[in-house]
Amino acid sequence: MNEARAVEILESHDIKPTANRLVIVKALAAAERPLSLSELENKILTIDKSGIFRSLTLFRDNHLVHVIEGGTEGVKYELCKSRDHEHDEDQHPHFYCERCQKTFCLDELELPDIVLPEGYEPHTMNLIIKGRCPECSK
Amino acid sequence: MNEARAVEILESHDIKPTANRLVIVKALAAAERPLSLSELENKILTIDKSGIFRSLTLFRDNHLVHVIEGGTEGVKYELCKSRDHEHDEDQHPHFYCERCQKTFCLDELELPDIVLPEGYEPHTMNLIIKGRCPECSK
DNA sequence: GTTCTTGCAAAATATTTGCAAGACG
DNA sequence: CGTCTTGCAAATATTTTGCAAGAAC
């Protein structure tokens, strides 16, 4: 991504194109895959991690980047219901409520059948839908 | 969940049913939704978090619990490609490689259309498939 | 000069390990 | 006794904030 395009992208999201922000946008664009904060830290040695963090937060708030994770709190654990003790068979979608921050099991729903491109070997699938749970959307 | 059932579950997964582990299994069963380590810490005041953590790790290794999250490293950021600056429209599934620990965008794939039960208000969706990427499955 | 941005340090969280004491067989 | 389990403390890692100096306007 060239300078002009980076400036254009930032401005179209109402973000002032400072030098640091341009570097971060270009790094994200160059990666062509999602990067974590620490991956960006390693790629961009000239900017402090707090600066990268603040830029990413700003980008997220202005819908320039989106975030890939499950819920907002870290890992959650759930009892397996399947009889198969070698594989997780009982996987189902989960719903994370952005208000009460609880995760719900959508047991009754099936995971979709995704056909992957050549070469990918799937093992498990996590599908998390975020929004408001029935209690919090009242 | 009663004691006998908890013992049975643990033993069927080749886990010795110690007092602590029984408490943890029962807590997970009672919750009926996935819990994070800190949620379990708050629920189970009698067991140290490191003990809960070690039990959960053991449970996971023996396929008694499964884990809900995205990738293993925390949050990842990706540039939005959509023109809509209010919403994320360009969401697509992601593939997390358990070997090289990179996350890939499956741009070409569509997110499935999930019909939620009454009351849920969806906002965003994250679909993460884990396994081996083309490079690592060679 | 006023506001915005940045770097550094450090606080706040979250995850994981070392180790010695105790339980179990 | 020898192995497994546990609690406590602490090492790591990660995310987030306070603050003062500097840049931008």
Side-chain angles (χ1 to χ4, degrees):
Chain A
M1 179 180 295
N2 63 35
E3 196 76 8
R5 177 79 186 110
V7 170
E8 184 186 318
I9 286 182
L10 286 173
E11 289 183 337
S12 75
H13 288 266
D14 302 314
I15 299 167
K16 197 199 294 183
T18 66
N20 277 0
R21 290 171 190 166
L22 289 168
V23 170
I24 296 169
V25 163
K26 285 190 275 190
L28 283 169
E32 292 186 319
R33 60 182 186 81
L35 298 178
S36 65
L37 180 56
S38 51
E39 284 173 318
L40 279 167
E41 262 184 83
N42 293 332
K43 261 184 111 111
I44 307 171
L45 302 171
T46 51
I47 308 176
D48 186 74
K49 67 181 171 195
S50 67
I52 298 174
F53 173 77
R54 276 191 269 239
S55 288
L56 289 172
T57 304
L58 178 65
F59 292 177
R60 185 189 55 194
D61 292 345
N62 289 39
H63 299 281
L64 172 54
V65 300
H66 57 235
V67 164
I68 295 132
E69 31 89 57
T72 50
E73 246 185 300
V75 177
K76 302 217 180 187
Y77 301 86
E78 177 183 32
L79 277 186
C80 296
K81 285 156 199 147
S82 76
R83 302 267 134 223
D84 180 345
H85 297 170
E86 288 308 311
H87 304 91
D88 293 346
E89 275 191 344
D90 64 330
Q91 291 192 54
H92 47 258
H94 291 90
F95 190 94
Y96 176 77
C97 178
E98 293 172 328
R99 185 156 170 277
C100 68
Q101 309 193 333
K102 289 181 184 162
T103 301
F104 300 88
C105 301
L106 301 174
D107 282 278
E108 58 270 45
L109 302 183
E110 299 258 313
L111 279 180
D113 221 350
I114 301 278
V115 180
L116 292 170
E118 188 69 22
Y120 286 98
E121 279 182 10
H123 176 211
T124 57
M125 187 188 294
N126 278 313
L127 173 56
I128 299 113
I129 300 162
K130 299 208 276 186
R132 289 267 178 135
C133 73
E135 195 57 41
C136 291
S137 67
K138 274 177 190 169
Chain B
M1 179 180 294
N2 63 36
E3 197 76 8
R5 178 79 187 111
V7 170
E8 184 186 318
I9 287 182
L10 287 173
E11 290 184 337
S12 75
H13 287 267
D14 301 314
I15 299 166
K16 196 199 294 183
T18 66
N20 276 2
R21 290 171 189 166
L22 289 168
V23 169
I24 296 169
V25 163
K26 286 190 276 190
L28 283 169
E32 293 186 318
R33 61 182 187 81
L35 298 178
S36 65
L37 181 56
S38 51
E39 283 173 318
L40 279 167
E41 263 183 82
N42 293 333
K43 259 183 114 104
I44 307 172
L45 303 170
T46 52
I47 309 177
D48 186 75
K49 68 180 172 200
S50 67
I52 299 174
F53 174 76
R54 276 191 269 237
S55 288
L56 289 171
T57 304
L58 178 64
F59 292 177
R60 184 189 56 197
D61 292 346
N62 290 38
H63 299 281
L64 172 53
V65 300
H66 57 236
V67 163
I68 296 131
E69 31 87 58
T72 51
E73 246 184 300
V75 177
K76 302 216 179 188
Y77 301 85
E78 177 184 30
L79 278 185
C80 295
K81 285 155 198 145
S82 75
R83 303 268 134 226
D84 180 344
H85 296 171
E86 289 307 311
H87 303 92
D88 294 345
E89 274 190 346
D90 62 333
Q91 291 192 54
H92 48 259
H94 291 90
F95 191 94
Y96 175 78
C97 178
E98 293 172 328
R99 184 157 170 277
C100 70
Q101 309 194 334
K102 289 180 183 162
T103 300
F104 301 88
C105 300
L106 301 174
D107 282 278
E108 59 271 44
L109 302 182
E110 299 258 313
L111 277 180
D113 222 349
I114 300 278
V115 181
L116 291 169
E118 188 69 24
Y120 287 98
E121 279 182 10
H123 177 210
T124 57
M125 188 188 296
N126 277 312
L127 173 55
I128 299 115
I129 300 164
K130 298 208 278 186
R132 290 265 178 137
C133 73
E135 195 56 42
C136 291
S137 67
K138 274 178 187 168

